[in-house]
Amino acid sequence: ASNLNAQGLYVQAEALYRKALTIWQATFGETHPDTASGYANVAANLDNQGRLDEAGPLYHKGLEIRLKVLGEIHPDTASSYNNLACHLGARGQYNEAEPLYNKALEIRLEVLGENHSDTATSYNNVAYNMIEQGRYNEAEPLFNKALEIRLEVLDESHPDTATSYNNVAYNLIEQGRYYEAEPLCHKGLEIRLKMLGETHPCTAESYNNVA
């Protein structure tokens, strides 16, 4: 399912994610970390399909289980805070999302440290939420920080690095700094074409951003 999801084949992935959740529920019960992961995976898949109303309760369920079983200061709990924040952002609830993004970043810095790909994701997400609120100057150093970490940890030709190039560029575009943004848009497109192929939704996004 994760492989299909990464290719943008969300409908095909959904049935497999739901099957995994059903097996974990039957094997481990409702209050187990793997069951929480199952809820999180189905919820993220539904978000990718635009089925936000269905996804919300599953995100909350996954977070509830992780808080109970793993506690507050755990990487998976941070992921639940982050994912719920992403969901709220997709619904346009940026103010509600902000403290959850910050909570995820705080946990990841404590547990994983500064130079970790998940920490980079949190910097990126906090920044993107700021952009949605029109806070471009505040977002810029956080986007740059995420790119710096990803270049160090994941290297140049990783899809997440492409996302960081894209996001730094997008923030510049929103400020009218088009000439600064253009080479970053091209860089993101180049990586996505190489790593994800021509027919991936993220590649389409990069074509759009270059244009």
CSV table of all heavy atoms in Angstrom, one decimal, residues 120 144-158 160-162 164-165 187 191:
chain,number,residue,atom,x,y,z
A,120,ALA,N,13.3,17.6,9.7
A,120,ALA,CA,13.2,18.5,8.5
A,120,ALA,C,11.8,18.6,8.0
A,120,ALA,O,11.3,19.7,7.7
A,120,ALA,CB,14.1,17.9,7.4
A,144,ASN,N,14.3,27.0,4.6
A,144,ASN,CA,15.7,26.8,4.3
A,144,ASN,C,16.4,25.8,5.2
A,144,ASN,O,17.3,25.0,4.8
A,144,ASN,CB,16.5,28.2,4.4
A,144,ASN,CG,16.1,29.1,3.2
A,144,ASN,OD1,15.9,28.7,2.1
A,144,ASN,ND2,16.1,30.4,3.5
A,145,LYS,N,16.0,25.8,6.4
A,145,LYS,CA,16.5,24.8,7.4
A,145,LYS,C,16.1,23.4,7.0
A,145,LYS,O,16.9,22.5,7.0
A,145,LYS,CB,15.9,25.1,8.8
A,145,LYS,CG,16.5,24.2,9.9
A,145,LYS,CD,18.0,24.5,10.1
A,145,LYS,CE,18.6,23.7,11.2
A,145,LYS,NZ,20.0,23.9,11.4
A,146,ALA,N,14.9,23.2,6.6
A,146,ALA,CA,14.4,21.9,6.1
A,146,ALA,C,15.2,21.4,4.9
A,146,ALA,O,15.7,20.3,4.8
A,146,ALA,CB,12.9,21.9,5.8
A,147,LEU,N,15.5,22.3,3.9
A,147,LEU,CA,16.3,22.0,2.8
A,147,LEU,C,17.7,21.6,3.2
A,147,LEU,O,18.2,20.6,2.7
A,147,LEU,CB,16.3,23.2,1.8
A,147,LEU,CG,17.2,23.0,0.5
A,147,LEU,CD1,16.8,21.8,-0.3
A,147,LEU,CD2,17.1,24.3,-0.3
A,148,GLU,N,18.3,22.4,4.1
A,148,GLU,CA,19.6,22.1,4.5
A,148,GLU,C,19.8,20.7,5.1
A,148,GLU,O,20.7,20.0,4.8
A,148,GLU,CB,20.0,23.2,5.5
A,148,GLU,CG,21.3,23.0,6.2
A,148,GLU,CD,21.5,24.0,7.4
A,148,GLU,OE1,21.0,25.1,7.3
A,148,GLU,OE2,22.2,23.6,8.4
A,149,ILE,N,18.8,20.4,6.0
A,149,ILE,CA,18.9,19.1,6.6
A,149,ILE,C,18.7,18.0,5.6
A,149,ILE,O,19.4,17.0,5.6
A,149,ILE,CB,17.8,19.0,7.7
A,149,ILE,CG1,18.0,19.9,8.9
A,149,ILE,CG2,17.7,17.5,8.3
A,149,ILE,CD1,16.9,20.1,9.8
A,150,ARG,N,17.7,18.1,4.7
A,150,ARG,CA,17.5,17.1,3.7
A,150,ARG,C,18.7,16.9,2.8
A,150,ARG,O,19.0,15.8,2.4
A,150,ARG,CB,16.2,17.4,2.9
A,150,ARG,CG,14.9,17.1,3.7
A,150,ARG,CD,13.7,17.7,3.1
A,150,ARG,NE,12.5,17.1,3.8
A,150,ARG,CZ,11.3,17.5,3.6
A,150,ARG,NH1,11.0,18.5,2.7
A,150,ARG,NH2,10.3,17.0,4.3
A,151,LEU,N,19.3,18.0,2.4
A,151,LEU,CA,20.5,17.8,1.6
A,151,LEU,C,21.6,17.0,2.3
A,151,LEU,O,22.3,16.2,1.7
A,151,LEU,CB,21.1,19.2,1.2
A,151,LEU,CG,20.3,19.9,0.1
A,151,LEU,CD1,20.7,21.4,-0.1
A,151,LEU,CD2,20.5,19.2,-1.3
A,152,GLU,N,21.7,17.2,3.6
A,152,GLU,CA,22.7,16.5,4.4
A,152,GLU,C,22.3,15.1,4.6
A,152,GLU,O,23.2,14.2,4.6
A,152,GLU,CB,22.9,17.3,5.7
A,152,GLU,CG,24.0,16.6,6.6
A,152,GLU,CD,24.3,17.4,7.8
A,152,GLU,OE1,23.9,18.6,7.9
A,152,GLU,OE2,24.9,16.9,8.8
A,153,VAL,N,21.1,14.9,5.0
A,153,VAL,CA,20.6,13.5,5.4
A,153,VAL,C,20.2,12.6,4.3
A,153,VAL,O,20.4,11.4,4.3
A,153,VAL,CB,19.5,13.7,6.5
A,153,VAL,CG1,19.0,12.3,6.9
A,153,VAL,CG2,20.0,14.4,7.7
A,154,LEU,N,19.5,13.2,3.3
A,154,LEU,CA,18.8,12.4,2.2
A,154,LEU,C,19.6,12.5,0.9
A,154,LEU,O,19.4,11.7,0.1
A,154,LEU,CB,17.4,12.9,2.0
A,154,LEU,CG,16.5,12.8,3.3
A,154,LEU,CD1,15.1,13.4,2.9
A,154,LEU,CD2,16.3,11.3,3.7
A,155,ASP,N,20.4,13.5,0.7
A,155,ASP,CA,21.1,13.8,-0.5
A,155,ASP,C,20.3,14.6,-1.5
A,155,ASP,O,19.1,14.8,-1.3
A,155,ASP,CB,21.9,12.7,-1.1
A,155,ASP,CG,21.0,11.7,-2.0
A,155,ASP,OD1,20.1,12.2,-2.6
A,155,ASP,OD2,21.3,10.5,-2.0
A,156,GLU,N,20.9,14.9,-2.6
A,156,GLU,CA,20.4,15.9,-3.6
A,156,GLU,C,19.2,15.2,-4.4
A,156,GLU,O,18.2,15.9,-4.7
A,156,GLU,CB,21.5,16.3,-4.6
A,156,GLU,CG,21.1,17.2,-5.7
A,156,GLU,CD,21.0,18.7,-5.2
A,156,GLU,OE1,21.6,18.9,-4.1
A,156,GLU,OE2,20.4,19.5,-5.9
A,157,SER,N,19.2,14.0,-4.6
A,157,SER,CA,18.3,13.3,-5.6
A,157,SER,C,17.2,12.6,-4.9
A,157,SER,O,16.8,11.5,-5.3
A,157,SER,CB,19.0,12.4,-6.6
A,157,SER,OG,19.7,11.4,-5.9
A,158,HIS,N,16.6,13.1,-3.8
A,158,HIS,CA,15.6,12.5,-3.1
A,158,HIS,C,14.3,13.3,-3.2
A,158,HIS,O,14.3,14.5,-3.3
A,158,HIS,CB,15.9,12.4,-1.6
A,158,HIS,CG,15.0,11.5,-0.8
A,158,HIS,ND1,13.8,11.9,-0.3
A,158,HIS,CD2,15.2,10.2,-0.3
A,158,HIS,CE1,13.2,10.9,0.4
A,158,HIS,NE2,14.1,9.9,0.4
A,160,ASP,N,12.0,14.1,-1.2
A,160,ASP,CA,11.8,15.0,-0.1
A,160,ASP,C,12.6,16.3,-0.3
A,160,ASP,O,12.2,17.4,0.0
A,160,ASP,CB,12.0,14.4,1.2
A,160,ASP,CG,10.9,13.4,1.6
A,160,ASP,OD1,9.9,13.4,0.9
A,160,ASP,OD2,11.1,12.7,2.6
A,161,THR,N,13.8,16.1,-0.9
A,161,THR,CA,14.7,17.2,-1.2
A,161,THR,C,14.0,18.1,-2.3
A,161,THR,O,14.1,19.3,-2.2
A,161,THR,CB,16.1,16.8,-1.6
A,161,THR,OG1,16.6,15.9,-0.6
A,161,THR,CG2,17.0,17.9,-1.8
A,162,ALA,N,13.5,17.4,-3.3
A,162,ALA,CA,12.7,18.1,-4.3
A,162,ALA,C,11.6,18.9,-3.7
A,162,ALA,O,11.3,20.1,-4.1
A,162,ALA,CB,12.2,17.1,-5.3
A,164,SER,N,11.5,20.2,-0.8
A,164,SER,CA,12.1,21.4,-0.1
A,164,SER,C,12.5,22.5,-1.1
A,164,SER,O,12.2,23.7,-0.9
A,164,SER,CB,13.3,21.0,0.7
A,164,SER,OG,12.9,20.6,2.0
A,165,TYR,N,13.1,22.1,-2.2
A,165,TYR,CA,13.4,23.1,-3.3
A,165,TYR,C,12.1,23.7,-3.7
A,165,TYR,O,12.0,25.0,-3.9
A,165,TYR,CB,14.0,22.4,-4.5
A,165,TYR,CG,15.5,22.2,-4.4
A,165,TYR,CD1,16.1,20.9,-4.4
A,165,TYR,CD2,16.4,23.2,-4.2
A,165,TYR,CE1,17.5,20.7,-4.3
A,165,TYR,CE2,17.8,23.1,-4.1
A,165,TYR,CZ,18.3,21.8,-4.2
A,165,TYR,OH,19.6,21.6,-4.1
A,187,LYS,N,15.0,22.9,-10.3
A,187,LYS,CA,15.7,21.8,-9.6
A,187,LYS,C,14.7,20.8,-9.1
A,187,LYS,O,14.9,19.6,-9.2
A,187,LYS,CB,16.5,22.4,-8.5
A,187,LYS,CG,17.4,21.5,-7.8
A,187,LYS,CD,18.5,21.0,-8.7
A,187,LYS,CE,19.5,20.0,-8.0
A,187,LYS,NZ,20.5,19.5,-9.0
A,191,ILE,N,14.5,16.7,-10.2
A,191,ILE,CA,14.6,15.6,-9.2
A,191,ILE,C,13.3,14.7,-9.3
A,191,ILE,O,13.4,13.5,-9.4
A,191,ILE,CB,14.8,16.1,-7.8
A,191,ILE,CG1,16.1,16.8,-7.7
A,191,ILE,CG2,14.7,14.9,-6.8
A,191,ILE,CD1,16.2,17.6,-6.3
